[in-house]
Amino acid sequence: MMGSDMNESRVRHAATRRDWLAHCSLLALGLWAAGANAATPTATASPKAATILVVGDSLSAEYGLPRGAGWVALLEKRLAGEGIAATVINASISGDTSSGGRSRLPALLKQHRPSHVVLELGGNDALRGLPLAMTRENLAQMVRASREAGARVLVVGMQVPPNYGRQYGKDFAALFATVAKAGGAALVPFLLEGVANGPNSEAMFQPDRIHPVAAAHPAMLSNVWPVLVPLLK
């Protein structure tokens, strides 16, 4: 009987020792994991770069200018110079109307998935005498489509010369503000502010008196910049 008790005691002792060793192993493993986690800093996500899609006409497409001299190219350079992470895609086409921009926009949104859309269209509508209601509806639809795609929108307004008639000019200028307000978009009232109505306006245009020279484009960017930058933050 005594031998049996001694054997049973040895078995219990061995089992207790195994439990104690297992406990020590788990404790050491937990301490190692905690130390490893503490030694590895939590990664901080960097801000996602913005993608700015500019849909415009010849005023944004560098018509008659050296490559890189237009306000859109200057915008890209200034963003980089100020350390703002952004890619600028210039999808502007000389001669384009609001109808043309409206038809092109869905494919552009799908292809580039922009975070911001700048709409600079409508000037050619006025030059062709197209109905203001049509221009207004085209721009409104472009704002809606851009916002539905998840982009913030900036509407860039335009004005026409006095020879178009006072009332027509007033109604044309007002439609951009109407579209922007109704669609929840930001607004630049007049892209050519300080250019077309500045003290040296004649020298600011090419011989056709429609398209600004390269020297005018920094002023055009100055009209866009203070409205666009807050949208990027």
Side-chain angles (χ1 to χ4, degrees):
M1 177 68 75
M2 185 178 294
S4 175
D5 289 343
M6 291 179 64
N7 289 336
E8 185 176 348
S9 176
R10 290 193 186 101
V11 170
R12 286 200 301 269
H13 178 72
T16 301
R17 181 177 175 79
R18 284 196 301 272
D19 292 343
W20 180 78
L21 289 173
H23 174 75
C24 289
S25 298
L26 290 173
L27 180 60
L29 181 60
L31 291 173
W32 176 86
N37 290 335
T40 304
T42 302
T44 301
S46 58
K48 184 178 179 181
T51 300
I52 305 170
L53 175 66
V54 180
V55 184
D57 51 33
S58 56
L59 297 179
S60 301
E62 296 188 331
Y63 178 89
L65 302 178
R67 179 71 65 180
W71 76 265
V72 179
L74 298 178
L75 168 64
E76 188 169 24
K77 294 174 184 176
R78 183 165 180 181
L79 289 168
E82 301 208 9
I84 300 175
T87 298
V88 180
I89 299 166
N90 193 353
S92 303
I93 297 178
S94 294
D96 204 8
T97 62
S98 62
S99 295
R102 179 176 178 174
S103 66
R104 294 193 295 120
L105 185 61
L108 292 171
L109 294 174
K110 183 177 181 180
Q111 177 183 357
H112 300 292
R113 301 185 182 278
S115 58
H116 299 75
V117 175
V118 178
L119 301 176
E120 183 278 299
L121 288 169
N124 287 314
D125 294 38
L127 291 176
R128 300 182 184 187
L130 300 178
L132 296 182
M134 184 184 73
T135 302
R136 187 184 305 111
E137 175 55 29
N138 286 336
L139 292 176
Q141 176 55 34
M142 294 179 75
V143 171
R144 286 193 294 268
S146 299
R147 296 200 64 188
E148 288 171 1
R152 304 186 76 177
V153 185
L154 171 60
V155 175
V156 179
M158 185 51 55
Q159 296 180 16
V160 292
N163 59 294
Y164 278 74
R166 181 177 180 180
Q167 189 59 47
Y168 181 88
K170 182 179 179 180
D171 293 343
F172 179 76
L175 75 83
F176 297 96
T178 300
V179 168
K181 183 177 181 180
L187 173 70
V188 173
F190 185 27
L191 178 60
L192 299 180
E193 180 67 37
V195 176
N197 54 6
N200 195 28
S201 60
E202 291 186 4
M204 291 290 100
F205 286 87
Q206 299 177 38
D208 61 13
R209 293 289 301 150
I210 295 175
H211 299 97
V213 297
H217 280 259
M220 294 162 66
L221 175 59
S222 294
N223 293 328
V224 174
W225 181 262
V227 184
L228 175 61
V229 169
L231 300 180
L232 301 175
K233 297 181 180 179

Short mmCIF file of all heavy atoms in Angstrom, two decimals, residues 13 51-52 57 68 93 114-115 127 212:
data_model
loop_
_atom_site.label_atom_id
_atom_site.label_comp_id
_atom_site.label_asym_id
_atom_site.label_seq_id
_atom_site.Cartn_x
_atom_site.Cartn_y
_atom_site.Cartn_z
N HIS A 13 3.07 15.04 -8.53
CA HIS A 13 4.18 15.99 -8.56
C HIS A 13 4.58 16.33 -10.01
O HIS A 13 4.81 17.49 -10.37
CB HIS A 13 5.38 15.42 -7.80
CG HIS A 13 6.58 16.33 -7.83
ND1 HIS A 13 6.64 17.51 -7.11
CD2 HIS A 13 7.75 16.23 -8.53
CE1 HIS A 13 7.81 18.09 -7.34
NE2 HIS A 13 8.50 17.33 -8.20
N THR A 51 -7.66 64.52 -56.44
CA THR A 51 -7.65 64.44 -57.90
C THR A 51 -8.62 65.50 -58.41
O THR A 51 -9.82 65.41 -58.20
CB THR A 51 -8.08 63.05 -58.40
OG1 THR A 51 -7.18 62.06 -57.89
CG2 THR A 51 -8.08 63.00 -59.92
N ILE A 52 -8.06 66.52 -59.05
CA ILE A 52 -8.85 67.66 -59.51
C ILE A 52 -9.08 67.54 -61.02
O ILE A 52 -8.14 67.59 -61.81
CB ILE A 52 -8.14 68.98 -59.20
CG1 ILE A 52 -7.81 69.08 -57.70
CG2 ILE A 52 -9.00 70.17 -59.63
CD1 ILE A 52 -6.91 70.25 -57.36
N ASP A 57 -13.35 74.93 -71.52
CA ASP A 57 -13.23 75.21 -72.94
C ASP A 57 -11.84 75.78 -73.24
O ASP A 57 -10.88 75.49 -72.52
CB ASP A 57 -14.36 76.15 -73.39
CG ASP A 57 -14.47 77.39 -72.51
OD1 ASP A 57 -13.42 77.86 -72.01
OD2 ASP A 57 -15.58 77.90 -72.31
N GLY A 68 2.00 74.71 -70.97
CA GLY A 68 2.35 74.96 -69.58
C GLY A 68 2.11 76.39 -69.12
O GLY A 68 2.39 76.73 -67.97
N ILE A 93 -11.47 71.29 -73.64
CA ILE A 93 -11.40 71.22 -75.10
C ILE A 93 -11.81 72.58 -75.68
O ILE A 93 -12.88 73.12 -75.34
CB ILE A 93 -12.34 70.13 -75.66
CG1 ILE A 93 -11.90 68.75 -75.17
CG2 ILE A 93 -12.36 70.17 -77.19
CD1 ILE A 93 -12.82 67.63 -75.65
N PRO A 114 -12.53 61.60 -59.73
CA PRO A 114 -11.96 62.79 -59.09
C PRO A 114 -12.56 63.06 -57.72
O PRO A 114 -13.72 62.72 -57.44
CB PRO A 114 -12.32 63.91 -60.07
CG PRO A 114 -13.59 63.43 -60.71
CD PRO A 114 -13.43 61.94 -60.86
N SER A 115 -11.76 63.68 -56.87
CA SER A 115 -12.27 64.15 -55.58
C SER A 115 -12.85 65.55 -55.73
O SER A 115 -13.65 65.99 -54.90
CB SER A 115 -11.15 64.15 -54.54
OG SER A 115 -10.06 64.96 -54.97
N LEU A 127 -21.48 82.74 -77.06
CA LEU A 127 -20.98 83.15 -78.37
C LEU A 127 -21.87 82.61 -79.49
O LEU A 127 -21.98 83.24 -80.55
CB LEU A 127 -19.55 82.65 -78.56
CG LEU A 127 -18.47 83.32 -77.69
CD1 LEU A 127 -17.11 82.66 -77.94
CD2 LEU A 127 -18.39 84.82 -77.98
N PRO A 212 -7.26 85.10 -73.66
CA PRO A 212 -6.21 85.84 -72.96
C PRO A 212 -4.81 85.37 -73.37
O PRO A 212 -4.61 84.21 -73.75
CB PRO A 212 -6.48 85.52 -71.49
CG PRO A 212 -7.90 85.08 -71.44
CD PRO A 212 -8.14 84.37 -72.74
#
